[in-house]
Amino acid sequence: MDLTMILTIIGAILVLIGVIYNVFSLFEKSKPKVEYIVLLAILVAIAVVGRLVGMSIPGFQFASFIIIMVGIVYGGETGFLVGILTALVSDLFLGLGYWTFFQMIAWGLMGYTSGLFSEKLDNIYLRVIFGFVWGFIYGFITDFAMFPFMSAVNISSLVALYIAAIPLDLVHGIINAVLLAIVYKWFKNIFERNKLKFLNSVEE
C-alpha cells in the first residue's frame, strides 16, 4: 500500500468523523422529538430494504430513489441523515469497511441536494436529469474505495477505473430516472401523508 492509498484512507476516516460530528451537532441543536426519530428510522429501514432487494442486479440502487424522495419531501437535513444511515445500516448486513465511508458521503450528499433543489425537482425533466446524473456522481465518489486495491494510483489507472464503472453507473442513473419519472407522485403522496402523521403534532 503506497502513500497515496494511505492518505486516501486517512482522508476518508477524517471525512466520516466530520460527518458523524455534524450529525450529532444537528441533533443536539434541533432536539428532535420522538416522532421524528421514529419517522427517520422507518425511512432508513425502507431505503435499506430497497438496497438489499436490488443487490441481485448490478448497478440497481432502489435505495437512491428513496433517499432522493426523502430529501424532496422532508428536506435536505433529513435526506442527508437517511442517506448516511442507509449506508451504515445496510453495510451491517452486507459487510462494513472503509468503503462504507464513501457510501455514506455519496448517499448523504444525494439526500441533501435533493432537499436543496426540491422545488425545482417538481419539474419532471429536471427530476429525471437529477436522478440520472446522481447515478454517476454516486459512482464517482464510491469508486474512491477501489484505490487500495489498485497496484498504482495515477491518471491512467483512475481513467481505467472510471471507464470500467460506466456500465454500473449508467444502470444506476437510468433506474433513478425511470423511478423518478413513473412513481414520483405516488411516493411523494405517501411520504407527505406520513410527514403530516408523524410531524404535524410536533410542529404544532
Side-chain angles (χ1 to χ4, degrees):
M1 184 179 293
D2 61 24
L3 180 60
T4 303
M5 294 180 186
I6 293 173
L7 291 176
T8 300
I9 295 173
I10 292 175
I13 293 173
L14 291 176
V15 170
L16 179 61
I17 292 172
V19 168
I20 293 174
Y21 172 79
N22 282 287
V23 168
F24 280 102
S25 295
L26 175 64
F27 270 82
E28 185 178 3
K29 292 176 183 177
S30 59
K31 296 180 181 179
K33 303 294 184 180
V34 172
E35 292 86 350
Y36 177 78
I37 295 174
V38 170
L39 177 61
L40 188 66
I42 292 172
L43 294 172
V44 171
I46 293 171
V48 168
V49 170
R51 185 185 182 192
L52 297 178
V53 167
M55 287 300 297
S56 59
I57 305 174
F60 187 95
Q61 289 287 7
F62 186 71
S64 293
F65 167 71
I66 297 298
I67 291 166
I68 290 172
M69 291 304 306
V70 169
I72 291 173
V73 175
Y74 297 97
E77 289 183 350
T78 301
F80 177 77
L81 288 172
V82 170
I84 64 173
L85 290 174
T86 295
L88 183 61
V89 174
S90 60
D91 275 4
L92 291 175
F93 299 96
L94 301 174
L96 282 169
Y98 71 92
W99 51 84
T100 305
F101 306 156
F102 298 99
Q103 294 168 353
M104 291 172 72
I105 294 167
W107 267 328
L109 291 175
M110 185 185 294
Y112 180 76
T113 54
S114 299
L116 194 63
F117 300 110
S118 59
E119 293 184 3
K120 298 183 183 298
L121 295 180
D122 261 339
N123 181 294
I124 186 171
Y125 300 107
L126 294 177
R127 189 166 68 244
V128 166
I129 292 172
F130 180 86
F132 182 76
V133 170
W134 255 110
F136 287 87
I137 297 175
Y138 176 91
F140 178 82
I141 295 172
T142 55
D143 283 346
F144 277 99
M146 295 299 296
F147 282 15
F149 299 99
M150 299 169 67
S151 57
V153 179
N154 51 48
I155 297 298
S156 298
S157 60
L158 290 178
V159 171
L161 172 65
Y162 286 111
I163 289 177
I166 286 176
L168 296 178
D169 296 340
L170 183 61
V171 172
H172 189 176
I174 290 174
I175 293 297
N176 286 348
V178 170
L179 291 174
L180 287 168
I182 297 177
V183 295
Y184 169 77
K185 290 185 178 179
W186 186 56
F187 269 85
K188 187 177 182 182
N189 289 336
I190 293 173
F191 280 7
E192 285 181 338
R193 286 199 299 270
N194 281 279
K195 182 179 180 180
L196 290 173
K197 177 181 177 181
F198 282 92
L199 304 183
N200 188 46
S201 60
V202 176
E203 293 173 355
E204 291 177 352

